[in-house]
Amino acid sequence: MDRKIFSLNLSVEATSAYILICNLAESGTPITIESAGTFWNDKPEALLSALEELNRHRIIFEALDANQMRQYYLNPSDRWRKPAKA
């Protein structure tokens, strides 16, 4: 887990999803809605929103696997984009 995540001022949900994704990745588990949802303790919509936020800031990216299932992958922190200041 890259501690830079805490300096981006993302939503609590997005930061939590990032930590969850890191744990899944470290365990070798493919990162999917289903695998993340198993450990997510909020509404499924909140997980989807958090993943969209992480994707928007290039913290993760998504791709279809050989079975056409959407998987998420972590980008190195030098590819991340900070949220625009309002």
Side-chain angles (χ1 to χ4, degrees), residues 2 5 11-12 14 22-23 26 29 35 46-47 49 52-53 55 58-59 67 70 72 74 76 78 80-81 84 86:
D2 193 321
I5 194 72
S11 69
V12 171
C22 288
N23 287 331
E26 287 174 10
T29 303
S35 66
L47 176 58
S49 178
E52 288 171 6
E53 184 176 354
N55 192 30
R58 296 185 183 166
I59 296 163
N67 298 320
R70 183 175 298 166
Y72 298 91
L74 292 161
D78 61 349
W80 298 0
R81 289 193 327 199

mmCIF file with all atom_site columns, all heavy atoms in Angstrom, residues 2 5 11-12 14 22-23 26 29 35 46-47 49 52-53 55 58-59 67 70 72 74 76 78 80-81 84 86:
data_model
loop_
_atom_site.group_PDB
_atom_site.id
_atom_site.type_symbol
_atom_site.label_atom_id
_atom_site.label_alt_id
_atom_site.label_comp_id
_atom_site.label_asym_id
_atom_site.label_entity_id
_atom_site.label_seq_id
_atom_site.pdbx_PDB_ins_code
_atom_site.Cartn_x
_atom_site.Cartn_y
_atom_site.Cartn_z
_atom_site.occupancy
_atom_site.B_iso_or_equiv
_atom_site.pdbx_formal_charge
_atom_site.auth_seq_id
_atom_site.auth_comp_id
_atom_site.auth_asym_id
_atom_site.auth_atom_id
_atom_site.pdbx_PDB_model_num
ATOM 1   N N   . ASP A 1 2  ? 0.567   2.158   -0.878  1.00 0.00 ? 2  ASP A N   1
ATOM 2   C CA  . ASP A 1 2  ? 1.313   3.405   -0.961  1.00 0.00 ? 2  ASP A CA  1
ATOM 3   C C   . ASP A 1 2  ? 0.616   4.447   -0.085  1.00 0.00 ? 2  ASP A C   1
ATOM 4   O O   . ASP A 1 2  ? -0.545  4.793   -0.318  1.00 0.00 ? 2  ASP A O   1
ATOM 5   C CB  . ASP A 1 2  ? 1.362   3.873   -2.422  1.00 0.00 ? 2  ASP A CB  1
ATOM 6   C CG  . ASP A 1 2  ? 2.356   4.981   -2.645  1.00 0.00 ? 2  ASP A CG  1
ATOM 7   O OD1 . ASP A 1 2  ? 2.468   5.876   -1.773  1.00 0.00 ? 2  ASP A OD1 1
ATOM 8   O OD2 . ASP A 1 2  ? 3.019   4.976   -3.686  1.00 0.00 ? 2  ASP A OD2 1
ATOM 9   N N   . ILE A 1 5  ? -1.750  7.703   -0.802  1.00 0.00 ? 5  ILE A N   1
ATOM 10  C CA  . ILE A 1 5  ? -3.210  7.743   -0.918  1.00 0.00 ? 5  ILE A CA  1
ATOM 11  C C   . ILE A 1 5  ? -3.814  8.716   0.084   1.00 0.00 ? 5  ILE A C   1
ATOM 12  O O   . ILE A 1 5  ? -4.806  9.378   -0.199  1.00 0.00 ? 5  ILE A O   1
ATOM 13  C CB  . ILE A 1 5  ? -3.814  6.315   -0.759  1.00 0.00 ? 5  ILE A CB  1
ATOM 14  C CG1 . ILE A 1 5  ? -5.266  6.282   -1.222  1.00 0.00 ? 5  ILE A CG1 1
ATOM 15  C CG2 . ILE A 1 5  ? -3.681  5.803   0.659   1.00 0.00 ? 5  ILE A CG2 1
ATOM 16  C CD1 . ILE A 1 5  ? -5.471  6.377   -2.689  1.00 0.00 ? 5  ILE A CD1 1
ATOM 17  N N   . SER A 1 11 ? -12.384 10.716  -1.042  1.00 0.00 ? 11 SER A N   1
ATOM 18  C CA  . SER A 1 11 ? -13.456 10.383  -0.112  1.00 0.00 ? 11 SER A CA  1
ATOM 19  C C   . SER A 1 11 ? -13.015 9.233   0.798   1.00 0.00 ? 11 SER A C   1
ATOM 20  O O   . SER A 1 11 ? -12.112 8.463   0.456   1.00 0.00 ? 11 SER A O   1
ATOM 21  C CB  . SER A 1 11 ? -14.718 9.986   -0.878  1.00 0.00 ? 11 SER A CB  1
ATOM 22  O OG  . SER A 1 11 ? -14.517 8.747   -1.531  1.00 0.00 ? 11 SER A OG  1
ATOM 23  N N   . VAL A 1 12 ? -13.662 9.128   1.933   1.00 0.00 ? 12 VAL A N   1
ATOM 24  C CA  . VAL A 1 12 ? -13.382 8.031   2.859   1.00 0.00 ? 12 VAL A CA  1
ATOM 25  C C   . VAL A 1 12 ? -13.633 6.696   2.163   1.00 0.00 ? 12 VAL A C   1
ATOM 26  O O   . VAL A 1 12 ? -12.859 5.744   2.312   1.00 0.00 ? 12 VAL A O   1
ATOM 27  C CB  . VAL A 1 12 ? -14.243 8.169   4.138   1.00 0.00 ? 12 VAL A CB  1
ATOM 28  C CG1 . VAL A 1 12 ? -14.139 6.938   5.013   1.00 0.00 ? 12 VAL A CG1 1
ATOM 29  C CG2 . VAL A 1 12 ? -13.856 9.419   4.907   1.00 0.00 ? 12 VAL A CG2 1
ATOM 30  N N   . ALA A 1 14 ? -13.449 5.963   -1.083  1.00 0.00 ? 14 ALA A N   1
ATOM 31  C CA  . ALA A 1 14 ? -12.407 5.665   -2.067  1.00 0.00 ? 14 ALA A CA  1
ATOM 32  C C   . ALA A 1 14 ? -11.118 5.217   -1.378  1.00 0.00 ? 14 ALA A C   1
ATOM 33  O O   . ALA A 1 14 ? -10.470 4.264   -1.820  1.00 0.00 ? 14 ALA A O   1
ATOM 34  C CB  . ALA A 1 14 ? -12.144 6.869   -2.962  1.00 0.00 ? 14 ALA A CB  1
ATOM 35  N N   . CYS A 1 22 ? -5.695  -3.166  -2.109  1.00 0.00 ? 22 CYS A N   1
ATOM 36  C CA  . CYS A 1 22 ? -4.308  -3.532  -1.803  1.00 0.00 ? 22 CYS A CA  1
ATOM 37  C C   . CYS A 1 22 ? -4.241  -4.861  -1.071  1.00 0.00 ? 22 CYS A C   1
ATOM 38  O O   . CYS A 1 22 ? -3.395  -5.703  -1.380  1.00 0.00 ? 22 CYS A O   1
ATOM 39  C CB  . CYS A 1 22 ? -3.637  -2.442  -0.976  1.00 0.00 ? 22 CYS A CB  1
ATOM 40  S SG  . CYS A 1 22 ? -3.262  -0.951  -1.903  1.00 0.00 ? 22 CYS A SG  1
ATOM 41  N N   . ASN A 1 23 ? -5.142  -5.062  -0.120  1.00 0.00 ? 23 ASN A N   1
ATOM 42  C CA  . ASN A 1 23 ? -5.169  -6.333  0.616   1.00 0.00 ? 23 ASN A CA  1
ATOM 43  C C   . ASN A 1 23 ? -5.488  -7.498  -0.306  1.00 0.00 ? 23 ASN A C   1
ATOM 44  O O   . ASN A 1 23 ? -4.873  -8.560  -0.206  1.00 0.00 ? 23 ASN A O   1
ATOM 45  C CB  . ASN A 1 23 ? -6.171  -6.268  1.765   1.00 0.00 ? 23 ASN A CB  1
ATOM 46  C CG  . ASN A 1 23 ? -5.684  -5.414  2.906   1.00 0.00 ? 23 ASN A CG  1
ATOM 47  O OD1 . ASN A 1 23 ? -4.492  -5.287  3.132   1.00 0.00 ? 23 ASN A OD1 1
ATOM 48  N ND2 . ASN A 1 23 ? -6.609  -4.820  3.632   1.00 0.00 ? 23 ASN A ND2 1
ATOM 49  N N   . GLU A 1 26 ? -2.401  -8.155  -2.507  1.00 0.00 ? 26 GLU A N   1
ATOM 50  C CA  . GLU A 1 26 ? -1.321  -8.806  -1.762  1.00 0.00 ? 26 GLU A CA  1
ATOM 51  C C   . GLU A 1 26 ? -1.613  -10.288 -1.527  1.00 0.00 ? 26 GLU A C   1
ATOM 52  O O   . GLU A 1 26 ? -0.688  -11.098 -1.453  1.00 0.00 ? 26 GLU A O   1
ATOM 53  C CB  . GLU A 1 26 ? -1.097  -8.088  -0.434  1.00 0.00 ? 26 GLU A CB  1
ATOM 54  C CG  . GLU A 1 26 ? -0.426  -6.749  -0.596  1.00 0.00 ? 26 GLU A CG  1
ATOM 55  C CD  . GLU A 1 26 ? -0.315  -5.956  0.702   1.00 0.00 ? 26 GLU A CD  1
ATOM 56  O OE1 . GLU A 1 26 ? -0.594  -6.520  1.782   1.00 0.00 ? 26 GLU A OE1 1
ATOM 57  O OE2 . GLU A 1 26 ? 0.038   -4.779  0.625   1.00 0.00 ? 26 GLU A OE2 1
ATOM 58  N N   . THR A 1 29 ? -5.605  -12.429 -4.799  1.00 0.00 ? 29 THR A N   1
ATOM 59  C CA  . THR A 1 29 ? -6.995  -12.548 -5.217  1.00 0.00 ? 29 THR A CA  1
ATOM 60  C C   . THR A 1 29 ? -7.275  -11.603 -6.372  1.00 0.00 ? 29 THR A C   1
ATOM 61  O O   . THR A 1 29 ? -6.929  -10.423 -6.293  1.00 0.00 ? 29 THR A O   1
ATOM 62  C CB  . THR A 1 29 ? -7.937  -12.203 -4.043  1.00 0.00 ? 29 THR A CB  1
ATOM 63  O OG1 . THR A 1 29 ? -7.649  -13.066 -2.945  1.00 0.00 ? 29 THR A OG1 1
ATOM 64  C CG2 . THR A 1 29 ? -9.398  -12.331 -4.439  1.00 0.00 ? 29 THR A CG2 1
ATOM 65  N N   . SER A 1 35 ? -15.218 -9.908  -5.504  1.00 0.00 ? 35 SER A N   1
ATOM 66  C CA  . SER A 1 35 ? -14.225 -10.163 -4.454  1.00 0.00 ? 35 SER A CA  1
ATOM 67  C C   . SER A 1 35 ? -14.138 -8.992  -3.484  1.00 0.00 ? 35 SER A C   1
ATOM 68  O O   . SER A 1 35 ? -14.037 -9.196  -2.274  1.00 0.00 ? 35 SER A O   1
ATOM 69  C CB  . SER A 1 35 ? -12.855 -10.486 -5.060  1.00 0.00 ? 35 SER A CB  1
ATOM 70  O OG  . SER A 1 35 ? -12.309 -9.383  -5.748  1.00 0.00 ? 35 SER A OG  1
ATOM 71  N N   . ALA A 1 46 ? -22.015 2.257   -2.960  1.00 0.00 ? 46 ALA A N   1
ATOM 72  C CA  . ALA A 1 46 ? -20.877 3.015   -2.421  1.00 0.00 ? 46 ALA A CA  1
ATOM 73  C C   . ALA A 1 46 ? -19.561 2.429   -2.927  1.00 0.00 ? 46 ALA A C   1
ATOM 74  O O   . ALA A 1 46 ? -18.612 3.172   -3.199  1.00 0.00 ? 46 ALA A O   1
ATOM 75  C CB  . ALA A 1 46 ? -20.921 3.031   -0.901  1.00 0.00 ? 46 ALA A CB  1
ATOM 76  N N   . LEU A 1 47 ? -19.497 1.107   -3.055  1.00 0.00 ? 47 LEU A N   1
ATOM 77  C CA  . LEU A 1 47 ? -18.299 0.477   -3.604  1.00 0.00 ? 47 LEU A CA  1
ATOM 78  C C   . LEU A 1 47 ? -18.109 0.880   -5.060  1.00 0.00 ? 47 LEU A C   1
ATOM 79  O O   . LEU A 1 47 ? -17.005 1.248   -5.470  1.00 0.00 ? 47 LEU A O   1
ATOM 80  C CB  . LEU A 1 47 ? -18.382 -1.042  -3.482  1.00 0.00 ? 47 LEU A CB  1
ATOM 81  C CG  . LEU A 1 47 ? -17.233 -1.831  -4.108  1.00 0.00 ? 47 LEU A CG  1
ATOM 82  C CD1 . LEU A 1 47 ? -15.890 -1.426  -3.527  1.00 0.00 ? 47 LEU A CD1 1
ATOM 83  C CD2 . LEU A 1 47 ? -17.469 -3.327  -3.946  1.00 0.00 ? 47 LEU A CD2 1
ATOM 84  N N   . SER A 1 49 ? -19.158 3.550   -6.554  1.00 0.00 ? 49 SER A N   1
ATOM 85  C CA  . SER A 1 49 ? -18.775 4.961   -6.567  1.00 0.00 ? 49 SER A CA  1
ATOM 86  C C   . SER A 1 49 ? -17.302 5.127   -6.185  1.00 0.00 ? 49 SER A C   1
ATOM 87  O O   . SER A 1 49 ? -16.574 5.916   -6.798  1.00 0.00 ? 49 SER A O   1
ATOM 88  C CB  . SER A 1 49 ? -19.674 5.749   -5.614  1.00 0.00 ? 49 SER A CB  1
ATOM 89  O OG  . SER A 1 49 ? -19.301 7.091   -5.573  1.00 0.00 ? 49 SER A OG  1
ATOM 90  N N   . GLU A 1 52 ? -15.128 4.037   -9.054  1.00 0.00 ? 52 GLU A N   1
ATOM 91  C CA  . GLU A 1 52 ? -15.152 5.063   -10.105 1.00 0.00 ? 52 GLU A CA  1
ATOM 92  C C   . GLU A 1 52 ? -14.232 6.222   -9.739  1.00 0.00 ? 52 GLU A C   1
ATOM 93  O O   . GLU A 1 52 ? -13.517 6.752   -10.588 1.00 0.00 ? 52 GLU A O   1
ATOM 94  C CB  . GLU A 1 52 ? -16.576 5.554   -10.331 1.00 0.00 ? 52 GLU A CB  1
ATOM 95  C CG  . GLU A 1 52 ? -17.459 4.549   -11.021 1.00 0.00 ? 52 GLU A CG  1
ATOM 96  C CD  . GLU A 1 52 ? -18.926 4.962   -11.058 1.00 0.00 ? 52 GLU A CD  1
ATOM 97  O OE1 . GLU A 1 52 ? -19.261 6.093   -10.645 1.00 0.00 ? 52 GLU A OE1 1
ATOM 98  O OE2 . GLU A 1 52 ? -19.740 4.124   -11.489 1.00 0.00 ? 52 GLU A OE2 1
ATOM 99  N N   . GLU A 1 53 ? -14.251 6.622   -8.471  1.00 0.00 ? 53 GLU A N   1
ATOM 100 C CA  . GLU A 1 53 ? -13.379 7.714   -8.020  1.00 0.00 ? 53 GLU A CA  1
ATOM 101 C C   . GLU A 1 53 ? -11.911 7.306   -8.151  1.00 0.00 ? 53 GLU A C   1
ATOM 102 O O   . GLU A 1 53 ? -11.084 8.089   -8.648  1.00 0.00 ? 53 GLU A O   1
ATOM 103 C CB  . GLU A 1 53 ? -13.706 8.081   -6.572  1.00 0.00 ? 53 GLU A CB  1
ATOM 104 C CG  . GLU A 1 53 ? -12.912 9.257   -6.057  1.00 0.00 ? 53 GLU A CG  1
ATOM 105 C CD  . GLU A 1 53 ? -13.318 9.687   -4.652  1.00 0.00 ? 53 GLU A CD  1
ATOM 106 O OE1 . GLU A 1 53 ? -14.312 9.151   -4.098  1.00 0.00 ? 53 GLU A OE1 1
ATOM 107 O OE2 . GLU A 1 53 ? -12.630 10.554  -4.101  1.00 0.00 ? 53 GLU A OE2 1
ATOM 108 N N   . ASN A 1 55 ? -10.663 5.107   -10.181 1.00 0.00 ? 55 ASN A N   1
ATOM 109 C CA  . ASN A 1 55 ? -10.380 5.028   -11.612 1.00 0.00 ? 55 ASN A CA  1
ATOM 110 C C   . ASN A 1 55 ? -10.194 6.427   -12.214 1.00 0.00 ? 55 ASN A C   1
ATOM 111 O O   . ASN A 1 55 ? -9.275  6.660   -12.999 1.00 0.00 ? 55 ASN A O   1
ATOM 112 C CB  . ASN A 1 55 ? -11.510 4.269   -12.310 1.00 0.00 ? 55 ASN A CB  1
ATOM 113 C CG  . ASN A 1 55 ? -11.178 3.889   -13.721 1.00 0.00 ? 55 ASN A CG  1
ATOM 114 O OD1 . ASN A 1 55 ? -10.023 3.658   -14.070 1.00 0.00 ? 55 ASN A OD1 1
ATOM 115 N ND2 . ASN A 1 55 ? -12.196 3.807   -14.554 1.00 0.00 ? 55 ASN A ND2 1
ATOM 116 N N   . ARG A 1 58 ? -6.863  7.697   -11.638 1.00 0.00 ? 58 ARG A N   1
ATOM 117 C CA  . ARG A 1 58 ? -5.836  6.793   -12.168 1.00 0.00 ? 58 ARG A CA  1
ATOM 118 C C   . ARG A 1 58 ? -5.104  6.005   -11.084 1.00 0.00 ? 58 ARG A C   1
ATOM 119 O O   . ARG A 1 58 ? -3.958  5.590   -11.280 1.00 0.00 ? 58 ARG A O   1
ATOM 120 C CB  . ARG A 1 58 ? -4.840  7.553   -13.036 1.00 0.00 ? 58 ARG A CB  1
ATOM 121 C CG  . ARG A 1 58 ? -5.468  8.146   -14.257 1.00 0.00 ? 58 ARG A CG  1
ATOM 122 C CD  . ARG A 1 58 ? -4.443  8.783   -15.134 1.00 0.00 ? 58 ARG A CD  1
ATOM 123 N NE  . ARG A 1 58 ? -5.090  9.406   -16.279 1.00 0.00 ? 58 ARG A NE  1
ATOM 124 C CZ  . ARG A 1 58 ? -4.500  10.252  -17.079 1.00 0.00 ? 58 ARG A CZ  1
ATOM 125 N NH1 . ARG A 1 58 ? -3.243  10.571  -16.898 1.00 0.00 ? 58 ARG A NH1 1
ATOM 126 N NH2 . ARG A 1 58 ? -5.151  10.782  -18.083 1.00 0.00 ? 58 ARG A NH2 1
ATOM 127 N N   . ILE A 1 59 ? -5.759  5.788   -9.974  1.00 0.00 ? 59 ILE A N   1
ATOM 128 C CA  . ILE A 1 59 ? -5.178  4.974   -8.919  1.00 0.00 ? 59 ILE A CA  1
ATOM 129 C C   . ILE A 1 59 ? -5.348  3.503   -9.270  1.00 0.00 ? 59 ILE A C   1
ATOM 130 O O   . ILE A 1 59 ? -4.484  2.685   -8.983  1.00 0.00 ? 59 ILE A O   1
ATOM 131 C CB  . ILE A 1 59 ? -5.819  5.340   -7.564  1.00 0.00 ? 59 ILE A CB  1
ATOM 132 C CG1 . ILE A 1 59 ? -5.470  6.796   -7.250  1.00 0.00 ? 59 ILE A CG1 1
ATOM 133 C CG2 . ILE A 1 59 ? -5.376  4.396   -6.460  1.00 0.00 ? 59 ILE A CG2 1
ATOM 134 C CD1 . ILE A 1 59 ? -6.315  7.439   -6.191  1.00 0.00 ? 59 ILE A CD1 1
ATOM 135 N N   . ASN A 1 67 ? -12.418 -14.215 -19.440 1.00 0.00 ? 67 ASN A N   1
ATOM 136 C CA  . ASN A 1 67 ? -13.830 -14.591 -19.316 1.00 0.00 ? 67 ASN A CA  1
ATOM 137 C C   . ASN A 1 67 ? -14.770 -13.396 -19.430 1.00 0.00 ? 67 ASN A C   1
ATOM 138 O O   . ASN A 1 67 ? -15.936 -13.491 -19.074 1.00 0.00 ? 67 ASN A O   1
ATOM 139 C CB  . ASN A 1 67 ? -14.065 -15.303 -17.977 1.00 0.00 ? 67 ASN A CB  1
ATOM 140 C CG  . ASN A 1 67 ? -13.279 -16.577 -17.871 1.00 0.00 ? 67 ASN A CG  1
ATOM 141 O OD1 . ASN A 1 67 ? -13.170 -17.328 -18.833 1.00 0.00 ? 67 ASN A OD1 1
ATOM 142 N ND2 . ASN A 1 67 ? -12.705 -16.829 -16.712 1.00 0.00 ? 67 ASN A ND2 1
ATOM 143 N N   . ARG A 1 70 ? -14.841 -8.028  -15.514 1.00 0.00 ? 70 ARG A N   1
ATOM 144 C CA  . ARG A 1 70 ? -14.106 -6.804  -15.219 1.00 0.00 ? 70 ARG A CA  1
ATOM 145 C C   . ARG A 1 70 ? -13.223 -7.006  -13.997 1.00 0.00 ? 70 ARG A C   1
ATOM 146 O O   . ARG A 1 70 ? -13.685 -7.422  -12.953 1.00 0.00 ? 70 ARG A O   1
ATOM 147 C CB  . ARG A 1 70 ? -15.082 -5.659  -14.969 1.00 0.00 ? 70 ARG A CB  1
ATOM 148 C CG  . ARG A 1 70 ? -14.406 -4.335  -14.733 1.00 0.00 ? 70 ARG A CG  1
ATOM 149 C CD  . ARG A 1 70 ? -15.406 -3.235  -14.623 1.00 0.00 ? 70 ARG A CD  1
ATOM 150 N NE  . ARG A 1 70 ? -16.102 -3.159  -15.898 1.00 0.00 ? 70 ARG A NE  1
ATOM 151 C CZ  . ARG A 1 70 ? -17.226 -2.494  -16.090 1.00 0.00 ? 70 ARG A CZ  1
ATOM 152 N NH1 . ARG A 1 70 ? -17.805 -1.862  -15.106 1.00 0.00 ? 70 ARG A NH1 1
ATOM 153 N NH2 . ARG A 1 70 ? -17.803 -2.472  -17.272 1.00 0.00 ? 70 ARG A NH2 1
ATOM 154 N N   . TYR A 1 72 ? -9.897  -5.132  -11.690 1.00 0.00 ? 72 TYR A N   1
ATOM 155 C CA  . TYR A 1 72 ? -9.254  -3.859  -11.366 1.00 0.00 ? 72 TYR A CA  1
ATOM 156 C C   . TYR A 1 72 ? -7.803  -4.117  -11.008 1.00 0.00 ? 72 TYR A C   1
ATOM 157 O O   . TYR A 1 72 ? -7.468  -5.123  -10.392 1.00 0.00 ? 72 TYR A O   1
ATOM 158 C CB  . TYR A 1 72 ? -9.986  -3.174  -10.213 1.00 0.00 ? 72 TYR A CB  1
ATOM 159 C CG  . TYR A 1 72 ? -11.406 -2.835  -10.566 1.00 0.00 ? 72 TYR A CG  1
ATOM 160 C CD1 . TYR A 1 72 ? -12.437 -3.729  -10.304 1.00 0.00 ? 72 TYR A CD1 1
ATOM 161 C CD2 . TYR A 1 72 ? -11.716 -1.638  -11.200 1.00 0.00 ? 72 TYR A CD2 1
ATOM 162 C CE1 . TYR A 1 72 ? -13.745 -3.437  -10.653 1.00 0.00 ? 72 TYR A CE1 1
ATOM 163 C CE2 . TYR A 1 72 ? -13.025 -1.335  -11.553 1.00 0.00 ? 72 TYR A CE2 1
ATOM 164 C CZ  . TYR A 1 72 ? -14.030 -2.242  -11.277 1.00 0.00 ? 72 TYR A CZ  1
ATOM 165 O OH  . TYR A 1 72 ? -15.324 -1.954  -11.636 1.00 0.00 ? 72 TYR A OH  1
ATOM 166 N N   . LEU A 1 74 ? -3.997  -2.056  -9.784  1.00 0.00 ? 74 LEU A N   1
ATOM 167 C CA  . LEU A 1 74 ? -3.403  -0.856  -9.197  1.00 0.00 ? 74 LEU A CA  1
ATOM 168 C C   . LEU A 1 74 ? -2.379  -0.253  -10.138 1.00 0.00 ? 74 LEU A C   1
ATOM 169 O O   . LEU A 1 74 ? -1.573  -0.974  -10.739 1.00 0.00 ? 74 LEU A O   1
ATOM 170 C CB  . LEU A 1 74 ? -2.724  -1.208  -7.875  1.00 0.00 ? 74 LEU A CB  1
ATOM 171 C CG  . LEU A 1 74 ? -3.668  -1.607  -6.750  1.00 0.00 ? 74 LEU A CG  1
ATOM 172 C CD1 . LEU A 1 74 ? -2.916  -2.362  -5.662  1.00 0.00 ? 74 LEU A CD1 1
ATOM 173 C CD2 . LEU A 1 74 ? -4.354  -0.374  -6.192  1.00 0.00 ? 74 LEU A CD2 1
ATOM 174 N N   . PRO A 1 76 ? 0.946   2.352   -10.426 1.00 0.00 ? 76 PRO A N   1
ATOM 175 C CA  . PRO A 1 76 ? 1.967   2.918   -9.550  1.00 0.00 ? 76 PRO A CA  1
ATOM 176 C C   . PRO A 1 76 ? 1.605   4.372   -9.224  1.00 0.00 ? 76 PRO A C   1
ATOM 177 O O   . PRO A 1 76 ? 0.955   5.065   -10.028 1.00 0.00 ? 76 PRO A O   1
ATOM 178 C CB  . PRO A 1 76 ? 3.255   2.832   -10.357 1.00 0.00 ? 76 PRO A CB  1
ATOM 179 C CG  . PRO A 1 76 ? 2.856   2.483   -11.746 1.00 0.00 ? 76 PRO A CG  1
ATOM 180 C CD  . PRO A 1 76 ? 1.447   2.006   -11.742 1.00 0.00 ? 76 PRO A CD  1
ATOM 181 N N   . ASP A 1 78 ? 3.088   7.091   -9.274  1.00 0.00 ? 78 ASP A N   1
ATOM 182 C CA  . ASP A 1 78 ? 3.529   8.185   -10.152 1.00 0.00 ? 78 ASP A CA  1
ATOM 183 C C   . ASP A 1 78 ? 2.548   8.435   -11.301 1.00 0.00 ? 78 ASP A C   1
ATOM 184 O O   . ASP A 1 78 ? 2.651   9.434   -12.003 1.00 0.00 ? 78 ASP A O   1
ATOM 185 C CB  . ASP A 1 78 ? 4.943   7.938   -10.693 1.00 0.00 ? 78 ASP A CB  1
ATOM 186 C CG  . ASP A 1 78 ? 5.074   6.683   -11.540 1.00 0.00 ? 78 ASP A CG  1
ATOM 187 O OD1 . ASP A 1 78 ? 4.129   5.854   -11.560 1.00 0.00 ? 78 ASP A OD1 1
ATOM 188 O OD2 . ASP A 1 78 ? 6.129   6.527   -12.170 1.00 0.00 ? 78 ASP A OD2 1
ATOM 189 N N   . TRP A 1 80 ? -0.842  8.471   -10.589 1.00 0.00 ? 80 TRP A N   1
ATOM 190 C CA  . TRP A 1 80 ? -2.042  8.996   -9.944  1.00 0.00 ? 80 TRP A CA  1
ATOM 191 C C   . TRP A 1 80 ? -2.215  10.473  -10.246 1.00 0.00 ? 80 TRP A C   1
ATOM 192 O O   . TRP A 1 80 ? -1.238  11.212  -10.410 1.00 0.00 ? 80 TRP A O   1
ATOM 193 C CB  . TRP A 1 80 ? -1.961  8.816   -8.441  1.00 0.00 ? 80 TRP A CB  1
ATOM 194 C CG  . TRP A 1 80 ? -1.888  7.399   -7.973  1.00 0.00 ? 80 TRP A CG  1
ATOM 195 C CD1 . TRP A 1 80 ? -1.889  6.259   -8.725  1.00 0.00 ? 80 TRP A CD1 1
ATOM 196 C CD2 . TRP A 1 80 ? -1.773  6.962   -6.618  1.00 0.00 ? 80 TRP A CD2 1
ATOM 197 N NE1 . TRP A 1 80 ? -1.798  5.155   -7.930  1.00 0.00 ? 80 TRP A NE1 1
ATOM 198 C CE2 . TRP A 1 80 ? -1.728  5.553   -6.632  1.00 0.00 ? 80 TRP A CE2 1
ATOM 199 C CE3 . TRP A 1 80 ? -1.717  7.624   -5.408  1.00 0.00 ? 80 TRP A CE3 1
ATOM 200 C CZ2 . TRP A 1 80 ? -1.620  4.799   -5.466  1.00 0.00 ? 80 TRP A CZ2 1
ATOM 201 C CZ3 . TRP A 1 80 ? -1.612  6.884   -4.248  1.00 0.00 ? 80 TRP A CZ3 1
ATOM 202 C CH2 . TRP A 1 80 ? -1.582  5.481   -4.283  1.00 0.00 ? 80 TRP A CH2 1
ATOM 203 N N   . ARG A 1 81 ? -3.485  10.901  -10.275 1.00 0.00 ? 81 ARG A N   1
ATOM 204 C CA  . ARG A 1 81 ? -3.798  12.322  -10.448 1.00 0.00 ? 81 ARG A CA  1
ATOM 205 C C   . ARG A 1 81 ? -4.550  12.809  -9.230  1.00 0.00 ? 81 ARG A C   1
ATOM 206 O O   . ARG A 1 81 ? -5.503  12.176  -8.775  1.00 0.00 ? 81 ARG A O   1
ATOM 207 C CB  . ARG A 1 81 ? -4.683  12.537  -11.673 1.00 0.00 ? 81 ARG A CB  1
ATOM 208 C CG  . ARG A 1 81 ? -3.970  12.324  -12.961 1.00 0.00 ? 81 ARG A CG  1
ATOM 209 C CD  . ARG A 1 81 ? -4.733  12.830  -14.139 1.00 0.00 ? 81 ARG A CD  1
ATOM 210 N NE  . ARG A 1 81 ? -6.181  12.694  -13.966 1.00 0.00 ? 81 ARG A NE  1
ATOM 211 C CZ  . ARG A 1 81 ? -7.051  12.725  -14.932 1.00 0.00 ? 81 ARG A CZ  1
ATOM 212 N NH1 . ARG A 1 81 ? -6.656  12.875  -16.166 1.00 0.00 ? 81 ARG A NH1 1
ATOM 213 N NH2 . ARG A 1 81 ? -8.333  12.606  -14.706 1.00 0.00 ? 81 ARG A NH2 1
ATOM 214 N N   . ALA A 1 84 ? -9.004  17.786  -8.656  1.00 0.00 ? 84 ALA A N   1
ATOM 215 C CA  . ALA A 1 84 ? -8.952  19.226  -8.917  1.00 0.00 ? 84 ALA A CA  1
ATOM 216 C C   . ALA A 1 84 ? -9.517  19.961  -7.710  1.00 0.00 ? 84 ALA A C   1
ATOM 217 O O   . ALA A 1 84 ? -10.459 19.503  -7.078  1.00 0.00 ? 84 ALA A O   1
ATOM 218 C CB  . ALA A 1 84 ? -9.765  19.562  -10.167 1.00 0.00 ? 84 ALA A CB  1
ATOM 219 N N   . ALA A 1 86 ? -11.586 22.663  -5.799  1.00 0.00 ? 86 ALA A N   1
ATOM 220 C CA  . ALA A 1 86 ? -12.837 23.378  -6.103  1.00 0.00 ? 86 ALA A CA  1
ATOM 221 C C   . ALA A 1 86 ? -12.750 24.820  -5.716  1.00 0.00 ? 86 ALA A C   1
ATOM 222 O O   . ALA A 1 86 ? -12.014 25.249  -4.913  1.00 0.00 ? 86 ALA A O   1
ATOM 223 C CB  . ALA A 1 86 ? -13.994 22.707  -5.384  1.00 0.00 ? 86 ALA A CB  1
#
